[in-house]
Amino acid sequence: MQSLHLEAINVKLPLQEGDGLYTVTVNDGRWTTIERQEGILVSSEHVPIHSLEFDELRTTALIDLDGKVMLPGFVDAHMHLDKAYSLPWVRNRSGTLLEAIENYRSVAPTFTKEIIRDRIVKAALSSASYGSAMLRSHLDVPVHLGRDMAMRTIEAALEAREIVSGTIDIQYFPMFFYDPAYERELSDFASEALRMGIDGVGGSPHLSPNPETNIAWAFKLAQKFDKPIDLHSDESDDPSTKTIDIYCDYVRAGGYGGRATAGHLCSLSAMEHHEAERLIAKMADAGVAAVTLPAVNLYLQGRGDRGNVRRGVTRVRELAEAGVAVAAASDNIQDPFHPFGKGDLLQIGLMTAYAAHLAKEEDIVSVLRMLTSIPAGITGLQNYGIAAGNPASFVIMDARSEEELFQELPSTRWIYNKSKWTFASKLSRFGMENPSFGTAISPI
Ligand SMILES: [Zn+2]
């Protein structure tokens, strides 16, 4: 029987204002108290977490974290769960975005609903096992290539969400590709998808024949259904690609500040600084959030360059300093857009720290916010974070400082979400008196 009450002592909370260790309590899936300790507590009643098997953990009310780090559950605000693990079927010889799109499109008709559903489930559970509590996934829905194929992905996505709903939450933003020749089919399809339970409007206007018409169409749809909007924006090395400029105009005109997100923004890093500054200020003023996808941009961008190769990662520091909400996210997992990755947002945090030169102690805390509270705000999560009254959703990691998280990328994690422990791996670097090397992550 799962313990309804939980008390953890000697907890390190890097995102809390005060330094030091904390005692935290959870009752019936909600945080009840978060109290700062006067130094380390020694208690014979509290069991060291690293000594507990998964089943024991579920029934133990008093645990000792021995200084380990606890963060609120990660929020991965930009993924492509429907494409995850497709790499063995879809390769990308040139490593470019265009080849990835073309190759995926040529094989997509062979992916059944069950295949897509199972890939989403696998990717979502893998992400959950590393500590994510909420995912936002874009979906490939090329209506102009066939409505059935696009609808198959929507149905697969909704089924997958239901399957994993006891462990993790997912939002879906289909990437509607606007082509004026197919406007009616696209509008019908998009309306149906939104009525079926899709969460918002996505797209990639910079890939459309007419970006402004695409953006205008996306806003019309989002406003009609009162849904948020999240567009892939300027995923290009070309500094003259600036759909974000038009996007901001529509956000302002439609009163969409705080409900609009721009992913990638690669060209922002390639353009002249004064022009980038103008666009960043415009984003801050309009209330457009940004999501950086360092793994995929480092892989796909700059492929035509020799010598000083553009790496595509947007201006993370400048965006954040201008007051734009910036999150870091996974994007693709083991597919032609990105052959690596596993849904571990801590790994993406490390890449962000490298790519954006964010490595001072306070910078690392900023990066951790890009994986937690900032994407929680972008995705509209209510009552998020380790505070009394909020739902308890957290990940404990086998590290004793925020720096150590990125130094060690600890594989040992204990994850609690939806009123229960959902995953635990028991390989503690600090619990050497009771090591259990090789114990696999145990799903519930
Ligand atoms: Zn993407």
Side-chain angles (χ1 to χ4, degrees), residues 19-48:
D19 211 2
L21 297 174
Y22 287 79
T23 295
V24 297
T25 57
V26 171
N27 225 334
D28 209 4
R30 281 189 183 273
W31 290 112
T32 39
T33 57
I34 318 292
E35 283 169 7
R36 193 156 175 270
Q37 297 171 192
E38 297 296 326
I40 193 148
L41 294 184
V42 179
S43 160
S44 57
E45 294 177 336
H46 293 75
V47 188

Side-chain angles (χ1 to χ4, degrees), residues 407-427:
Q407 290 159 343
E408 298 290 341
L409 289 182
S411 57
T412 304
R413 303 181 196 187
W414 296 265
I415 293 129
Y416 185 100
N417 195 22
K418 296 182 176 280
S419 305
K420 59 184 182 286
W421 293 100
T422 51
F423 289 89
S425 54
K426 186 172 154 282
L427 172 62

Side-chain angles (χ1 to χ4, degrees), residues 81-86 89 104 107-122 152 156 160:
L81 298 171
D82 54 327
K83 292 172 177 159
Y85 309 110
S86 64
W89 294 272
Y104 191 84
V107 181
T110 67
F111 294 138
T112 62
K113 184 174 83 172
E114 289 70 28
I115 289 173
I116 299 168
R117 181 195 63 205
D118 292 353
R119 290 203 305 235
I120 296 174
V121 168
K122 181 178 172 181
R152 195 154 74 207

Side-chain angles (χ1 to χ4, degrees), residues 292-339:
T292 184
L293 296 312
V296 170
N297 294 153
L298 288 166
Y299 173 70
L300 290 175
Q301 300 301 313
R303 289 285 180 164
D305 294 342
R306 291 293 174 269
N308 194 5
V309 177
R310 285 168 287 186
R311 305 315 308 273
V313 180
T314 194
R315 297 180 186 238
V316 175
R317 185 187 288 275
E318 288 103 320
L319 284 160
E321 282 172 359
V324 176
V326 187
S330 289
D331 214 3
N332 298 71
I333 295 173
Q334 300 175 34
D335 68 17
F337 298 80
H338 180 225

Side-chain angles (χ1 to χ4, degrees), residues 78-80 138 175 232 235 264 293 331-332:
H78 183 130
M79 303 183 86
H80 292 266
H138 298 260
M175 288 184 293
H232 285 61
E235 190 177 359
H264 291 290
L293 296 312
D331 214 3
N332 298 71

